[in-house]
Amino acid sequence: MPVVPPRIPVAAPVLGEEELANVVEAVRSGWISSLGAFIARFETEFAAFCGASHAVAVSNGTAAMHLALAAAGIGPGDEVLVPTLTFVATANAVRYTGATPVFVDAESATWQMDPRDLAARVTPRARAIVPVHLYGHPCDMEPILATAKRHGLAVIEDAAEAHGARCRGRRVGALGDVGCFSFYGNKIITTGEGGMCVTNDASLADRLRLLRDHGMDPKRPYWHELIGFNYRMTNLQAAIGVAQMTRIEGFITKKRELARWYAEALAPLAAAGRLTLHPEAAWAESVFWMNSVLLADVRASVDEVRARLLDRGIDSRPFFHPSHTLPPYAAGERRPVAEALAARGLNLPSGVGLTRDDVARVAAALIDALEP
């Protein structure tokens, strides 16, 4: 019988002996819940990585977003401007506060939040902007921050997919008021689940910590100043995170290397106009969380191409459905650029454990899948 090559997943974590040793140390210490030495260490190291003064570890990336919005005072009657082309958790976190998400279209050049559409959608009810650094590429923060300053809006970065990405030389996360990260299993670094808020504002950091732990006064045990949340990270998660921090620069280097390999392998398709490669603006340094392409060939839908890839042992992902088209948010509005991107977008295997031969196999399978 012929040898069937192993399936190539879209993403897979890279874990090793240091992660295992740290978890064993945490278990042996007895501190496995939300207290323990690894939590503070992870916060300190991740804040430094982002160029931020403070970091607050939380249970997951969505919790980070909700916590940041709550700490910024967002609530019922407020509007929060969010990109429509992103994972639905961004809009959901706005709804958790009782506020209303206002969906901003994407720009075709970078696939990120369109600063011009953003500026046009600000109303007197607007209180915050949530730029999302989609698929590892940063938003153009300069015009976004300028719009925020002009209207007195908070800026909460959703950097769940973009650990280490740079906008005009500065790492994302500490460019606005609060930056929010995810450490889910498919992210640049992982703690299984988990998230982080980073900020340069000491009072905001205190507010984030207060809300994270049931609103309990840190100087008066079991005295609750307000209604908070149980959004704490465990010491076990942080133990993995500390080990992952020793790898993060190498992971980013490998992500960018994968993007170069894909660009070389798919150059014939790009030159023929069959697809568009993942862009990178001149002012940006993407971490290519996903290696993404836009299929130009209308003879096959994204779902059909994905099915053909799966037949060849290659996993893939479609782009996110624009949030304004989903049942909880659909109101008959149009965001044409985001809709067009979502209709033709495909995410290819992007795990840092991939080899050049793996990328060549994915590219060959995609070329084959696009044949009539």
Side-chain angles (χ1 to χ4, degrees):
M1 294 181 62
V3 177
V4 178
R7 182 176 60 86
I8 299 179
V10 171
V14 173
L15 303 166
E17 291 301 317
E18 187 170 355
E19 286 83 358
L20 180 59
N22 283 4
V23 170
V24 170
E25 181 180 337
V27 170
R28 287 177 172 165
S29 75
W31 297 103
I32 60 170
S33 294
S34 57
L35 296 174
F38 284 111
I39 296 171
R41 183 175 166 188
F42 188 28
E43 290 175 333
T44 298
E45 293 179 3
F46 195 77
F49 170 79
C50 294
S53 301
H54 310 276
V56 180
V58 296
S59 53
N60 58 65
T62 307
M65 285 297 307
H66 182 205
L67 195 66
L69 290 161
I74 306 303
D78 297 335
E79 291 180 348
V80 178
L81 295 118
V82 303
T84 189
L85 187 59
T86 185
F87 186 52
V88 71
T90 308
N92 287 350
V94 174
R95 278 283 178 89
Y96 296 164
T97 69
T100 300
V102 175
F103 296 109
V104 179
D105 206 352
E107 58 176 10
S108 57
T110 65
W111 310 346
Q112 308 302 313
M113 173 184 271
D114 184 343
R116 292 167 297 179
D117 192 49
L118 167 71
R121 295 187 185 280
V122 176
T123 75
R125 293 175 58 193
R127 289 284 310 282
I129 302 170
V130 181
V132 178
H133 306 300
L134 185 72
Y135 298 140
H137 190 290
C139 293
D140 189 356
M141 292 299 293
E142 281 191 355
I144 292 172
L145 290 168
T147 295
K149 184 176 181 180
R150 187 160 59 249
H151 296 282
L153 309 178
V155 176
I156 297 169
E157 295 174 76
D158 183 340
E161 304 167 358
H163 315 50
R166 296 181 188 269
C167 175
R168 305 183 194 279
R170 295 180 60 196
R171 280 187 167 149
V172 301
L175 304 179
D177 295 288
V178 183
C180 301
F181 293 84
S182 169
F183 304 125
Y184 185 65
N186 63 8
K187 297 303 189 290
I188 303 288
I189 63 170
T190 185
T191 59
E193 280 282 4
M196 192 82 78
C197 297
V198 301
T199 182
N200 285 311
D201 186 322
S203 61
L204 256 179
D206 288 342
R207 182 78 172 174
L208 290 163
R209 292 190 181 96
L210 180 67
L211 288 169
R212 172 183 64 175
D213 190 15
H214 299 284
M216 185 166 64
D217 188 334
K219 298 179 180 178
R220 189 178 179 185
Y222 303 106
W223 181 263
H224 301 268
E225 294 288 336
L226 43 75
I227 297 173
F229 313 101
N230 181 6
Y231 282 169
R232 300 166 299 192
M233 176 179 280
T234 71
N235 200 42
L236 291 174
Q237 292 171 302
I240 297 172
V242 167
Q244 291 272 288
M245 286 302 296
T246 68
R247 302 171 179 263
I248 192 168
E249 297 288 0
F251 286 168
I252 291 169
T253 298
K254 181 62 179 291
K255 285 282 192 181
R256 292 184 59 80
E257 187 173 44
L258 289 171
R260 289 194 296 272
W261 293 345
Y262 271 117
E264 292 170 8
L266 296 174
L269 284 179
R274 302 288 299 281
L275 59 75
T276 300
L277 294 166
H278 201 150
E280 184 178 40
W283 45 263
E285 185 175 314
S286 177
V287 292
F288 295 99
W289 174 61
M290 284 287 156
N291 280 281
S292 311
V293 296
L294 295 180
L295 303 180
D297 195 336
V298 297
R299 288 173 293 181
S301 69
V302 169
D303 286 344
E304 288 170 331
V305 172
R306 292 185 63 228
R308 294 172 188 174
L309 288 174
L310 191 59
D311 286 342
R312 294 159 175 81
I314 309 297
D315 278 348
S316 61
R317 283 177 33 162
F319 275 21
F320 298 121
H321 293 285
S323 297
H324 75 277
T325 68
L326 298 174
Y329 301 108
E333 297 181 339
R334 299 297 305 276
R335 300 293 185 271
V337 176
E339 291 167 26
L341 291 171
R344 304 308 301 170
L346 180 68
N347 294 310
L348 300 173
S350 302
V352 294
L354 294 178
T355 66
R356 188 158 198 165
D357 285 345
D358 292 328
V359 171
R361 181 182 155 202
V362 173
L366 181 58
I367 292 168
D368 190 31
L370 290 175
E371 288 301 311

